[in-house]
Amino acid sequence: MPRISAPTVAEHRAAQLRTLLDATRAILAEGAEQAPALAEVAARAGLARSSVYQYFRSRQDLLDALIQDVFPRWSERVTEAMRVAPTPGERVLAYVDTNLCLVFEGEHAIARALTVVAPGRELDEKSGIMHRQMLDPLVGALAEMGAPAPETTAELINAVVYAASKMIESGSDERDIRARTRELLTPYLTASSAPAGPRERSDHT
């Protein structure tokens, strides 16, 4: 029986599974153009090849598990950052900033790699679900601010996020890009959040 390195068998298995998923993520982040072999994942994780087969029967099983891991984690990070932001405008900025942090951490590269090595209906469904899960609170924050077309504005903000993401992935300083993006969006968000002032009286009244 293999040595258990955690207080319980369940915790040991969870830790090994996490190690295998992280090893797969690392391989994909390096630009892999095909699904990694289970032996390659085992070697990267520092585990015996036989250990991998306790969790996955094939490369496709491994990719399915990674899809189940990557997309919910991304969505949870963004929605939690938005949840704790104090104002609608800050929620929008939290959406933008957290997405850019995840890009810098390599999550976007992993998601993009998955589209190459694991195309298919499940990946499309997962990415569509994640997009909707994150877009709904963004649209809600914009609507609360009084944006006249919150769905359209949300897509425009996503276009800014995409452009900033490309710059980060191309090697631009992540902190600088995040700061410039905040500077770009803050005037609009501040103006949209400000309460309307009293209407000016006409000089002819």
Side-chain angles (χ1 to χ4, degrees), residues 152-166:
T152 299
T153 304
E155 292 297 344
L156 291 171
I157 289 172
N158 271 331
V160 173
V161 172
Y162 178 77
S165 298
K166 295 291 288 182

Side-chain angles (χ1 to χ4, degrees), residues 136-152:
D136 285 349
L138 176 61
V139 170
L142 290 166
E144 191 174 342
M145 288 170 49
E151 293 85 0
T152 299

Side-chain angles (χ1 to χ4, degrees), residues 24-47:
T24 308
R25 290 158 63 92
I27 293 169
L28 291 179
E30 293 168 359
E33 296 183 357
Q34 61 182 2
L38 296 185
E40 181 183 4
V41 172
R44 179 65 66 95
L47 298 173

Side-chain angles (χ1 to χ4, degrees), residues 2-183:
R3 182 180 177 185
I4 303 300
S5 57
T8 67
V9 172
E11 289 174 305
H12 173 76
R13 288 184 59 80
Q16 284 208 324
L17 177 60
R18 180 76 265 152
T19 299
L20 292 168
L21 290 175
D22 288 344
T24 308
R25 290 158 63 92
I27 293 169
L28 291 179
E30 293 168 359
E33 296 183 357
Q34 61 182 2
L38 296 185
E40 181 183 4
V41 172
R44 179 65 66 95
L47 298 173
R49 181 176 178 177
S50 59
S51 297
V52 184
Y53 287 97
Q54 296 178 29
Y55 301 90
F56 311 111
R57 292 171 297 175
S58 65
R59 295 185 185 192
Q60 189 59 51
D61 278 352
L62 174 61
L63 291 176
D64 288 345
L66 190 61
I67 291 168
Q68 294 285 345
D69 183 62
V70 168
F71 288 100
R73 280 158 54 108
W74 184 304
S75 179
E76 288 167 11
R77 279 275 297 275
V78 174
T79 54
E80 176 61 16
M82 294 182 72
R83 186 187 67 80
V84 300
T87 67
E90 287 295 329
R91 290 204 295 274
V92 174
L93 291 175
Y95 172 91
V96 172
D97 197 60
T98 307
N99 271 290
L100 296 181
C101 285
L102 286 161
V103 169
F104 178 69
E105 293 169 11
E107 294 294 317
H108 190 249
I110 295 165
R112 188 173 61 248
L114 278 170
T115 66
V116 174
V117 304
R121 187 174 65 182
E122 181 172 359
L123 182 61
D124 291 341
E125 289 176 353
K126 287 291 181 183
S127 59
I129 290 170
M130 185 188 77
H131 183 73
R132 290 191 297 274
Q133 285 176 338
M134 292 195 299
L135 200 63
D136 285 349
L138 176 61
V139 170
L142 290 166
E144 191 174 342
M145 288 170 49
E151 293 85 0
T152 299
T153 304
E155 292 297 344
L156 291 171
I157 289 172
N158 271 331
V160 173
V161 172
Y162 178 77
S165 298
K166 295 291 288 182
M167 296 177 73
I168 291 172
E169 291 181 324
S170 297
S172 296
D173 183 84
E174 167 254 351
R175 287 176 295 182
D176 182 64
I177 296 300
R178 288 168 55 202
R180 301 292 79 77
T181 305
R182 177 177 282 267
E183 287 177 359

